[in-house]
Amino acid sequence: MTFKMIELPYEKNALEPYISAQTFDYHYGKHYKTYVDNLNKLIENTEFATMSLEEIIKNTYAKPEYTAIFNNAAQTWNHEFFWKSMRPNGGGEPKSELKQKIETSFGTIEKFKEEFKTAAITQFGSGWAWLVEDNGTLKVIKTSNADTPIAHNLKPILTIDVWEHAYYLDYQNKRADFVDEYIKNLLNW
Ligand code: MN
């Protein structure tokens, strides 16, 4: 199987001023593209060539001989989920079903937002913050580098990419400002 880049679900300038078209030129057009291209090269003529992205992730996780395949497969999956975790005129509050689940797990929507923001800001170095479902309970987790909830049998609901390449052109070192704007204006519940 050859993996193809997914289309962005909006124009590359549609999330301005919070994420610029220039950031998408690099983040989508170069970083994400490189993960997909590398994955295709690495799995060619291997046992992984016929697997889905999720199967590749689960079958290469924590196996040192497959670290490169895991990293590129997981980053492909994570970015495709990230593109869909945002939308123009996002933010606000989730619709009733998710809202109820969040209130059951976190108390209030505000408490969830605080926990998600803290996870995103305190992820040391590169990585991701997530809202995931774990056996019916919602949790906030953070993962390092390419690590992904898919490898841990957790169901991702929302994510934010906190690698510097996700925000540096627009926010420089101010990751907290990026996370704030993301939650307020872009989050696609
Ligand atoms: Mn990224």
Side-chain angles (χ1 to χ4, degrees):
M1 185 188 303
T2 301
F3 292 100
K4 292 201 171 67
M5 294 172 74
I6 65 161
E7 300 268 332
L8 278 180
Y10 32 72
E11 297 297 317
K12 68 179 184 181
N13 63 355
L15 304 188
E16 290 185 342
Y18 310 111
I19 298 179
S20 64
Q22 192 192 15
T23 288
F24 276 107
D25 285 340
Y26 283 89
H27 199 181
Y28 176 88
K30 297 186 190 293
H31 292 278
Y32 167 55
K33 180 178 191 303
T34 301
Y35 296 127
V36 176
D37 289 348
N38 283 344
L39 175 64
N40 284 326
K41 277 183 223 152
L42 287 163
I43 62 172
E44 202 178 349
N45 300 319
T46 72
E47 66 194 281
F48 304 109
T50 56
M51 291 185 191
S52 69
L53 202 47
E54 288 82 359
E55 287 171 327
I56 295 172
I57 290 167
K58 288 177 182 175
N59 283 284
T60 56
Y61 177 66
K63 292 182 181 158
E65 67 274 34
Y66 296 133
T67 298
I69 295 177
F70 174 81
N71 284 340
N72 286 284
Q75 282 294 77
T76 296
W77 198 97
N78 291 345
H79 282 88
E80 291 177 359
F81 195 76
F82 177 58
W83 310 139
K84 294 184 265 190
S85 289
M86 304 182 277
R87 67 178 175 89
N89 304 308
E93 295 219 337
K95 295 205 182 78
S96 57
E97 196 192 342
L98 179 58
K99 185 173 180 190
Q100 279 177 6
K101 280 186 171 180
I102 288 176
E103 285 172 350
T104 302
S105 297
F106 298 93
T108 63
I109 302 295
E110 279 313 306
K111 282 232 172 80
F112 156 69
K113 287 180 180 175
E114 277 170 35
E115 204 172 312
F116 187 70
K117 181 181 171 179
T118 300
I121 293 171
T122 59
Q123 169 54 37
F124 186 74
S126 294
W128 302 79
W130 305 84
L131 174 63
V132 298
E133 190 169 334
D134 180 10
N135 284 322
T137 304
L138 299 191
K139 291 178 181 170
V140 167
I141 63 163
K142 50 190 177 177
T143 58
S144 289
N145 299 317
D147 195 12
T148 176
I150 300 300
H152 307 281
N153 292 312
L154 300 168
K155 185 184 167 208
I157 296 169
L158 291 168
T159 193
I160 182 169
D161 184 346
V162 293
W163 284 56
E164 283 188 346
H165 67 220
Y167 60 87
Y168 219 83
L169 290 173
D170 299 322
Y171 298 87
Q172 293 76 51
N173 60 319
K174 298 187 284 282
R175 186 193 289 186
D177 290 359
F178 166 60
V179 176
D180 270 336
E181 299 296 359
Y182 185 90
I183 293 170
K184 272 187 213 148
N185 300 295
L186 298 177
L187 205 50
N188 182 17
W189 297 100

